[in-house]
Amino acid sequence: MRVSLNIVSAEGNSRVKTLHLLRHAKSSWDEPGLADRERGLNRRGARDAPRMGRALAAMLPAMRLHVSSARRARLTLEGLCAGWPEIAGRAHAIDEDLYTFSAGDLRQWLALRDDEPSALFLIGHNPALTDLVNQLAGRGALANLPTAGYVQLALGVDHWSQLVQGCGTVVTCLFPRQLPRD
């Protein structure tokens, strides 16, 4: 799904914040005693992360990613870098505050960001990501962000601290099942 937008802020200019969200790739449950944050990726997750990296490389400029500290999120970043070499050499941020399942926590994290850059890319977890999309873009905008699924939001705000319910529009969704098989 692609939508072209020209969102105008309350001040009358066309500055827009862009939020890129990616749910970590499919995690492994092979070690039942392992702490949640230490779980790695299963075979499908290890396959999907580079595939999504290649697809995103064809759509987006290289940028810094902010990543949950959970092992599965960090491994997803590694897989993205394998498929998207332009981001491999960038300094990405591993952030403990992104290891959350709460959309409210994510909104608080976003509100504390500096207003430059105008785009942020997060790798995190559900239900936080799906709930965040539905808060910012309206109920029912996204039924579920699947593992390794990506969504881009255009936000009609000038400052990250101005995020309110309904301020966003879904621009693009891309899920691994939509990609051609390798």
Side-chain angles (χ1 to χ4, degrees), residues 3-181:
V3 179
S4 119
L5 300 170
N6 184 20
I7 296 176
V8 178
S9 71
E11 287 81 20
N13 65 39
S14 60
R15 287 191 41 178
V16 176
K17 298 292 186 203
T18 303
L19 186 57
H20 305 272
L21 302 172
L22 184 95
R23 184 175 172 195
H24 64 79
K26 186 73 173 168
S27 61
S28 173
W29 291 89
D30 288 345
E31 299 177 59
L34 201 60
D36 178 73
R37 70 174 54 248
E38 296 305 320
R39 289 188 293 116
L41 300 180
N42 70 10
R43 190 174 12 199
R44 187 175 99 199
R47 180 194 70 215
D48 285 347
R51 291 174 64 226
M52 287 299 291
R54 285 189 293 279
L56 293 172
M59 300 170 37
L60 302 173
M63 64 186 81
R64 180 179 197 206
L65 280 66
H66 299 268
V67 183
S68 161
S69 59
R71 183 168 179 251
R72 60 192 178 274
R74 291 181 282 124
L75 291 172
T76 299
L77 173 63
E78 287 180 22
L80 282 180
C81 289
W84 189 358
E86 296 82 8
I87 67 166
R90 294 198 176 248
H92 302 292
I94 306 301
D95 194 319
E96 181 65 31
D97 291 336
L98 296 177
Y99 178 65
T100 182
F101 307 101
S102 163
D105 290 348
L106 291 180
R107 282 177 66 172
Q108 287 178 346
W109 185 90
L110 288 163
L112 295 173
R113 297 307 101 199
D114 185 52
D115 287 322
E116 291 300 325
S118 62
L120 290 172
F121 194 128
L122 312 181
I123 297 178
H125 307 274
N126 256 0
L129 295 175
T130 297
D131 291 347
L132 182 65
V133 169
N134 287 320
Q135 287 175 15
L136 297 177
R139 283 183 89 86
L142 182 67
N144 178 54
L145 187 60
T147 53
Y150 165 82
V151 64
Q152 179 182 348
L153 294 170
L155 305 168
V157 297
D158 292 316
H159 308 283
W160 292 108
S161 61
Q162 296 173 325
L163 294 178
V164 294
Q165 192 146 350
C167 71
T169 303
V170 174
V171 177
T172 303
C173 288
L174 182 65
F175 305 151
R177 68 177 174 260
Q178 297 170 298
L179 300 177
R181 296 267 182 208

